[in-house]
Amino acid sequence: MNIVRVALDVPVPRLFDYLAPDSAESDIGRRVTVPFGTGSRTGIIIELATASEQPGGKLKTVTAILRDMSVLPPQWLALCEFCARYYQTPLGAVTSFALPPMLRRGKLPRMKKVAVAVPSAPTPGTVGTPALPRLMAAQQIAVDAIAGVAGFHALLLHGVTGSGKTEVYLRAIDAVLTRGGQALMLVPEIALTPQLEGRVAARFPAAHIVCANSGMADAARARGFIEALDGRAEIVLGTRLAVFMPMPRLQLIIVDEEHDASFKQQEGLRYSARDVAVWRARQLNIPIVLGSATPSLESFHHASSGRYQMLELPQRAVAEAMPVVRIIDTRREKLQEGLSAALLKGLQQRLDRGEQSLVFLNRRGYAPVLACPPCGWISRCQRCAANLVLHLADQRLRCHHCGFEARVPRACPDCGNVDLLPFGRGTQRLESMLVERFPDARVLRIDRDSASTPKKWQALLALIHAGAADILVGTQMLAKGHDFPLLTLVGAVGADAALFAADFRAPERLFAQLMQVGGRSGRADLPGEVLIQTEYPDHPLYQALVEHDYVRFARAQLDERRIAGFPPFSFQAMLRAEARTMEQSLAFLAAARSTAEALAAGITLYDPVPMRLQRLMTLERGQLLVESLSRPALQAFLAKWMEQLYVLKMPGGLRWHLDVDPLEF
Ligand code: ADP
Ligand code: ZN
Ligand code: ZN
């Protein structure tokens, strides 16, 4: 009997057997359409078998094995199997996620005509390109180190914005293309891919470059996948999902801004593309370069302990100096709409000189809440345990968690008072204050509201580059990977909140953000200045920023984490549950905890607690943290625990998921 074992995207952690009379060994890794329930599904053939142990009697027969696309190679299947194991997710859910939607549905894109004249030699990356900059000594060392790697090796390229990391990546890619290999480069944001694509395309005009991100049209994404699979794509650039691009001659992986939280997916398959990329490099026995101005503490720890090789780029390639960072003590100052005299003066100076400034506030909207002081009413989301944020620009109240929105009421819904007051400050409020204060200045706000589509975002960037804005007001959106040649002043306001946040990773994120946003200033030949407003001027985090001393900051943080037993000194997983009531969620987690007790040698089980955002979309949410000093012990425990969780009794409407290496608490 010819039987195929198929990975299907259903929430059951096993394969499904089907009869396939015409199947052969060469069909492993092919897509297959099968009857399932009353409908039909497309999955991937993982194994062949001659007998089935599947419960439920008679096997159904496959509808069709799709042989119109190249087979997904064993290495790709192994990558998916690793993710299924490591993230405790059914294999079918992983393979389905890893395929572009069109291919997942069993379709194929119309392919562009392939030029018949395949170049006989590998693409000579540097031929016909403009003269390359002479590498600085530190860059040369990095390039040589990467070139000298045989087999798996992880290199951590640490260098501030403008220190020439991208130049190092390009040289390393060049070497790979010359050998006829493929290179994969991951970046955190969709918004960064066009810019990078331009730079890569300019360097390698003859190379076939493919982009991969979730913003692409279905057919284009599927086409890129097939070009990578068939080995035609030489360079793949993309966001986290690009880590799943099949590349038969992959010889180098680069993860730029490797510390960025967006490499971790927060729903469905909760994978970290950086970690998966490292696993993939090990699997293929190739080098991986992780680059950042502020490496994640995990990666920095690996580099300090010798598992990764640290490569430092201590100098900027173009601008002479790093921006001067100054701490503005706001404890004794009466701020004007949140801005200190020093920052206002700095803004005025830049206006006088025709230079650009940026005020960084990581909170969008006009004000975090609208309130009625006489009766105590505040704008709250009906579905979440969160306030509705006031957006004056379009007169709406919005929940930033679930998307609920309503018109701004004319009067208090409880008592009829018409004098409702906005409390706190967001980017819109800063913007209107700056417009009032500097009437001749062109103020431009950049956040997820004003740059809601890639098109709007590109238009805003063009305005900034054309010098059509004097003062930029923005969230961290502005911090990532853009050169603003006229920008010489960055002011950071409202940063203190992150110093004392409940999440132990908040300081790490704040440091990275401030370094990054500061790095926007003073790139060309204009020196930059960064002013940080704070009520904690002596805080070590700010002091390290003044010194541009990431290493000092990282060591201090790692010391704290070692003492507290937090990652990277321990390994964690989070079980989360959501239900109609908090009692139901916590009861489920308590039951899950009891089943864990018997299995949990070497595992710390914490108590189930409500999540920080307790209610989201009317569901009450709880979480249970499990932790171990050993990753293998945690992995072994999770595998056994999951089997029990799948059969645990639960009330109707309850949903749960496991998040391995959670980033959010
Ligand atoms: P990063 O990726 O670290 O931000 P880049 O590689 O983008 O840095 O380099 C910053 C700028 O300096 C770019 O304009 C780049 O072309 C230029 N650059 C990089 N390396 C050199 C070099 N060795 N000599 C001259 N210019 C360089
Ligand atoms: Zn809400
Ligand atoms: Zn009221």
Side-chain angles (χ1 to χ4, degrees), residues 523-603:
R523 283 198 63 150
D525 44 358
L526 296 168
E529 187 179 24
V530 179
L531 303 179
I532 299 173
Q533 293 190 179
T534 174
E535 296 187 9
Y536 304 89
D538 301 324
H539 196 285
L541 187 151
Y542 294 136
Q543 291 305 321
L545 275 170
V546 169
E547 309 280 333
H548 305 289
D549 198 346
Y550 161 80
V551 171
R552 188 171 87 187
F553 169 75
R555 292 216 176 105
Q557 280 288 309
L558 283 174
D559 284 344
E560 286 181 22
R561 296 230 190 139
R562 184 182 291 113
I563 292 164
F566 287 145
F569 302 97
S570 63
F571 304 91
Q572 300 179 325
M574 187 76 88
L575 181 65
R576 302 194 187 94
E578 53 184 33
R580 272 190 292 276
T581 69
M582 187 59 84
E583 286 70 33
Q584 289 175 331
S585 287
L586 294 181
F588 171 82
L589 294 172
R593 194 182 186 288
S594 331
T595 67
E597 269 160 11
L599 314 167
I603 309 289

Side-chain angles (χ1 to χ4, degrees), residues 345-495:
K345 186 165 150 237
L347 292 170
Q348 185 62 56
Q349 272 174 356
R350 298 318 187 281
L351 285 175
D352 296 342
R353 299 208 294 251
E355 297 167 10
Q356 275 173 347
S357 318
L358 156 62
V359 185
F360 172 67
L361 171 62
N362 214 0
R363 197 189 296 132
R364 62 197 173 88
Y366 185 86
V369 68
L370 185 66
C372 172
C375 84
W377 174 87
I378 58 169
S379 56
R380 292 191 65 81
C381 181
Q382 296 155 8
R383 305 193 292 203
C384 309
N387 293 335
L388 292 176
V389 176
L390 175 62
H391 285 249
L392 266 194
D394 51 1
Q395 290 287 325
R396 310 291 282 180
L397 291 173
R398 280 207 181 89
C399 176
H400 285 188
H401 299 283
C402 75
F404 173 85
E405 58 176 67
R407 270 198 67 83
V408 173
R410 268 174 237 291
C412 173
D414 283 359
C415 74
N417 166 29
V418 292
D419 292 322
L420 297 177
L421 279 186
F423 273 94
R425 191 171 294 105
T427 47
Q428 289 180 10
R429 191 166 193 171
L430 254 185
E431 176 192 21
S432 46
M433 179 269 168
L434 289 164
V435 167
E436 216 167 283
R437 170 83 197 211
F438 301 106
D440 298 330
R442 294 160 303 173
V443 179
L444 197 62
R445 175 169 52 85
I446 290 154
D447 52 28
R448 264 203 290 137
D449 299 312
S450 70
S452 52
T453 64
K455 215 168 163 186
K456 284 187 187 166
W457 173 227
Q458 293 302 332
L460 288 170
L461 282 183
L463 280 179
I464 301 172
H465 275 278
D470 302 308
I471 304 179
L472 315 174
V473 181
T475 57
Q476 57 157 5
M477 231 187 141
L478 264 181
K480 291 190 179 170
H482 297 277
D483 296 351
F484 302 129
L486 292 175
L487 183 70
T488 59
L489 173 68
V490 171
V493 304

Side-chain angles (χ1 to χ4, degrees), residues 14 76 138 187 288 337 340 363 372 545 590 636:
R14 64 175 177 85
W76 189 86
V187 292
I288 178 167
E337 279 287 342
S340 61
R363 197 189 296 132
C372 172
L545 275 170

